[in-house]
Amino acid sequence: MGAMNWGFKKSLWVFHLNAGACNNCDIEVLDCLCPKYDVERFGIKLVGSVKHADVLLVSGSVPRKVVPQLVETFEQAPQPCAVVALGSCGCTGGIFKDGYNFAGPVDKHIPVNAYIPGCPPRPEAIIDGIVKLIGKL
Amino acid sequence: MTTTIPIGPFHPVLEEPEYITLEVDGETVIGANFDLGRVHRGMELLAQEKTYDQDIFLVERICGICSASHSWAASLAIEDIVGCEVPARARYLRTIVHELERLHSHMLWVGLAGHIIGYWTVFMWGWKYREPILDALEAITGNRQHYAWYRPGGVRRDVPDEIWPNVLKIIEEFDRKTDMLTGAILDDPVILGRLRGVGILTKEDAIAYGTLGPTARGSGFDVDIRRDEPYGAYSEVDWDVIVQDGCDCLAVAVVRLLEMKESVKIIRQCIEKLPGGPIDAEVREVPRGEGCGHVEAPRGESFHFIRSNGTNMPERHKMRAPTFNNIPSFRPRIKGETISDALLIFAVIDPCYSCTERLAIVGPSGEKLATSKDLLRLSHEKTEELRKNS
């Protein structure tokens, strides 16, 4: 196990980026931090800047206006940084994939390590996705 | 000398991507500008390319928190065209889900407001008390959010009677917790200091800027679609419209806190009176015509207009979400306040930018470039591109 993988083993810090989501995925992410699920017990927490983050959590269908900022955010992240696409929109574009302003999904612009489908994914699903991500890294 | 402070577009406090620039002189805010468009998904055109049944699923996803309001308003618009009578049981079931949504939305706002003014306890409490409401919604509709519960003519599924005692237990418990939380918030001198007298929106301004919902009711403007133009079961149950004259952030917070108690009252009565019978008017065809529907969403009015040309898809589907008419009230609120209060004032209308995004591309001489035909062309080109690539 290299130093990098060792760093991923515990206490993942997450930067959450809403790239055109309907709020639901974002609310479920916040729900994970609240008393019922409380992932902060395991050292997983949301941080205010991607420069502090181990994981970039992207929700939403990625409208055109967000693309440059999405790519820039990913480039600013210290590597290795795992990217998680959250929700149906983030994974495939979902119901919005035929829209004229749709420029996604997320993996069209940045490499994605894990997909968490669902509209919205339940907090349990989000936690399960992160646990599987830790196992994979 | 004025300085410009950028907030966003990906700000840790604001969940949604929006870019706000504050013009400040010293610590006093003298103006605010918004740069939106990061959540624009082209809903109205998408709605015109889907059938009426599919449309309901689409409009639910305008916003994650008002999903029941939007789907109910769209269903009302379609029922307006068809001219069908919704069965009583369906009206009551619709009302219950809508009020449960209001409960969780208001509680979410209370939590976020606590988070913004630096009270993590309020945030954690609020979101903890909100969880059982989501469980109740899951028991009734099958999903925590995006319920897929409304359909033109009624509701999609019937509910067995066994679940109601559990739902009643959840809302009674929630009612007690709300009392406790309301008392704790309104007794705390620091919270009162942060909210009272901050972000004044006078009644005249509230009317002039076209605000609706708790934003308007916090400024003494007595308006509520549930009472003024009753739909669902609202005319058959006993409840009050909460109006506060404070005009500041505290008044809006009090409106939301007290409205939760009214919602609990409505749900309790609806469950007690819930009639039997069919749940769906079985709408099979939508004739040529126009219809509109509006409901009182947790944040204001959610309005849907549909024009049908007799086919199975709407010819025009216009949506207007609550935040759209509440956003302009930022300007009178923010003038003369300090930077530290700015975020609270942005949050006080419970903004939801995903509801609000509009597209209008304006050319150099002022002509509108993005007509619906242009948008259609863009959409078609995109499909072609996808086809070529696949």
Side-chain angles (χ1 to χ4, degrees):
Chain A
M1 188 188 284
M4 288 298 188
N5 287 343
W6 178 79
F8 266 126
K9 217 177 128 194
K10 283 172 185 166
S11 301
L12 291 182
W13 284 13
V14 180
F15 180 74
H16 169 228
L17 189 138
N18 175 335
C22 72
N23 274 341
N24 240 345
C25 297
D26 319 303
I27 290 168
E28 296 290 46
V29 169
L30 284 184
D31 247 7
C32 293
L33 299 171
C34 288
K36 188 166 177 190
Y37 299 100
D38 196 14
V39 292
E40 278 193 17
R41 282 178 294 170
F42 310 115
I44 300 175
K45 68 170 193 171
L46 285 186
V47 289
S49 165
V50 73
K51 291 175 183 165
H52 303 158
D54 301 307
V55 178
L56 176 60
L57 192 62
V58 187
S59 60
S61 63
V62 194
R64 289 181 192 195
K65 198 169 173 180
V66 182
V67 174
Q69 286 140 2
L70 174 65
V71 175
E72 197 180 323
T73 310
F74 177 68
E75 283 168 357
Q76 282 183 9
Q79 297 298 331
C81 176
V83 179
V84 179
L86 184 66
S88 302
C89 298
C91 295
T92 64
I95 201 165
F96 302 110
K97 68 177 189 305
D98 299 324
Y100 55 82
N101 210 25
F102 173 68
V106 177
D107 58 6
K108 192 172 162 190
H109 303 288
I110 55 175
V112 174
N113 298 79
Y115 299 85
I116 304 176
C119 188
R122 301 174 56 88
E124 290 95 333
I126 298 175
I127 296 168
D128 188 40
I130 298 290
V131 169
K132 282 189 177 146
L133 176 74
I134 295 173
K136 195 177 118 180
L137 286 169
Chain B
M1 205 201 110
T2 60
T3 320
T4 308
I5 297 183
I7 299 177
F10 299 104
H11 192 270
V13 172
L14 307 166
E15 274 176 38
E16 290 173 274
E18 62 268 351
Y19 183 54
I20 305 163
T21 45
L22 291 180
E23 288 165 31
V24 294
D25 182 9
E27 220 198 338
T28 316
V29 180
I30 51 178
N33 273 314
F34 293 92
D35 174 25
L36 300 169
R38 286 176 186 80
V39 205
H40 179 80
R41 289 157 297 176
M43 284 274 184
E44 293 190 359
L45 194 72
L46 274 173
Q48 281 150 236
E49 292 164 358
K50 295 190 186 301
T51 64
Y52 288 106
D53 249 4
Q54 292 169 334
D55 261 359
I56 303 296
F57 295 108
L58 180 71
V59 298
E60 277 195 327
R61 283 156 180 78
I62 291 177
C63 165
I65 315 171
C66 304
S67 57
S69 320
H70 282 294
S71 46
W72 197 354
S75 305
L76 282 176
I78 296 168
E79 285 151 17
D80 191 15
I81 304 174
V82 179
C84 66
E85 185 72 29
V86 179
R89 185 173 173 85
R91 283 192 288 115
Y92 275 79
L93 289 173
R94 283 174 164 193
T95 311
I96 291 170
V97 170
H98 194 219
E99 287 308 313
L100 282 170
E101 180 188 78
R102 192 182 317 277
L103 285 180
H104 95 70
S105 172
H106 281 357
M107 199 43 117
L108 180 142
W109 180 84
V110 171
L112 281 184
H115 166 48
I116 286 171
I117 61 175
Y119 265 72
W120 276 97
T121 321
V122 175
F123 175 69
M124 289 294 176
W125 275 0
W127 283 59
K128 182 176 152 197
Y129 301 152
R130 181 178 160 269
E131 277 297 325
I133 298 292
L134 294 180
D135 291 343
L137 278 168
E138 192 178 6
I140 298 172
T141 67
N143 203 2
R144 288 158 60 89
Q145 284 132 352
H146 290 337
Y147 321 106
W149 177 246
Y150 299 80
R151 62 173 294 173
V155 294
R156 218 166 271 279
R157 287 176 292 272
D158 205 350
V159 179
D161 287 332
E162 295 87 73
I163 70 166
W164 296 121
N166 197 19
V167 174
L168 270 175
K169 210 172 96 191
I170 287 173
I171 63 162
E172 297 301 344
E173 183 69 24
F174 183 84
D175 198 24
R176 272 201 299 282
K177 296 281 171 56
T178 314
D179 281 344
M180 195 270 285
L181 191 62
T182 310
I185 289 176
L186 299 182
D187 271 351
D188 191 310
V190 180
I191 294 184
L192 288 185
R194 282 304 308 272
L195 297 178
R196 188 177 280 156
V198 172
I200 299 283
L201 179 75
T202 59
K203 188 177 176 186
E204 291 72 36
D205 275 347
I207 296 171
Y209 281 81
T211 59
L212 285 168
T215 315
R217 290 196 285 276
S219 292
F221 180 24
D222 189 3
V223 58
D224 194 316
I225 299 155
R226 291 176 290 170
R227 178 200 58 199
D228 301 337
E229 252 180 79
Y231 53 96
Y234 289 112
S235 55
E236 295 156 40
V237 289
D238 177 36
W239 61 283
D240 295 314
V241 177
I242 306 291
V243 182
Q244 293 281 318
D245 295 324
C247 301
D248 50 4
C249 293
L250 179 66
V252 184
V254 172
V255 166
R256 289 215 167 86
L257 287 167
L258 297 181
E259 257 182 23
M260 287 195 279
K261 290 202 66 81
E262 296 301 317
S263 294
V264 168
K265 252 164 79 180
I266 295 173
I267 297 168
R268 197 184 294 137
Q269 292 175 57
C270 280
I271 292 177
E272 278 161 14
K273 289 186 181 176
L274 186 68
I279 54 158
D280 193 0
E282 309 270 333
V283 174
R284 291 278 170 249
E285 272 180 24
V286 182
R288 191 180 281 271
E290 292 181 351
C292 59
H294 56 168
V295 302
E296 180 79 20
R299 297 164 170 68
E301 181 197 29
S302 160
F303 174 86
H304 283 246
F305 165 84
I306 294 177
R307 189 196 299 135
S308 154
N309 54 5
T311 59
N312 62 346
M313 294 182 198
E315 191 176 59
R316 175 85 176 94
H317 190 154
K318 161 82 189 155
M319 310 150 187
R320 198 194 65 189
T323 308
F324 187 64
N325 39 12
N326 285 339
I327 268 198
S329 71
F330 282 144
R331 285 218 162 161
R333 270 190 201 277
I334 194 92
K335 285 241 170 80
E337 301 290 348
T338 57
I339 305 167
S340 50
D341 287 331
L343 264 183
L344 179 67
I345 293 170
F346 291 136
V348 82
I349 66 160
D350 201 356
C352 176
Y353 296 95
S354 53
C355 300
T356 302
E357 306 287 21
R358 296 288 183 282
L359 181 75
I361 303 171
V362 181
S365 54
E367 77 273 33
K368 253 185 157 180
L369 295 181
T371 59
S372 61
K373 267 187 195 155
D374 294 346
L375 298 180
L376 207 59
R377 183 175 49 78
L378 277 173
S379 173
H380 289 175
E381 283 172 4
K382 166 130 208 220
T383 319
E384 278 306 310
E385 188 198 317
L386 280 179
R387 271 195 205 125
K388 264 184 223 155
N389 292 342
S390 60

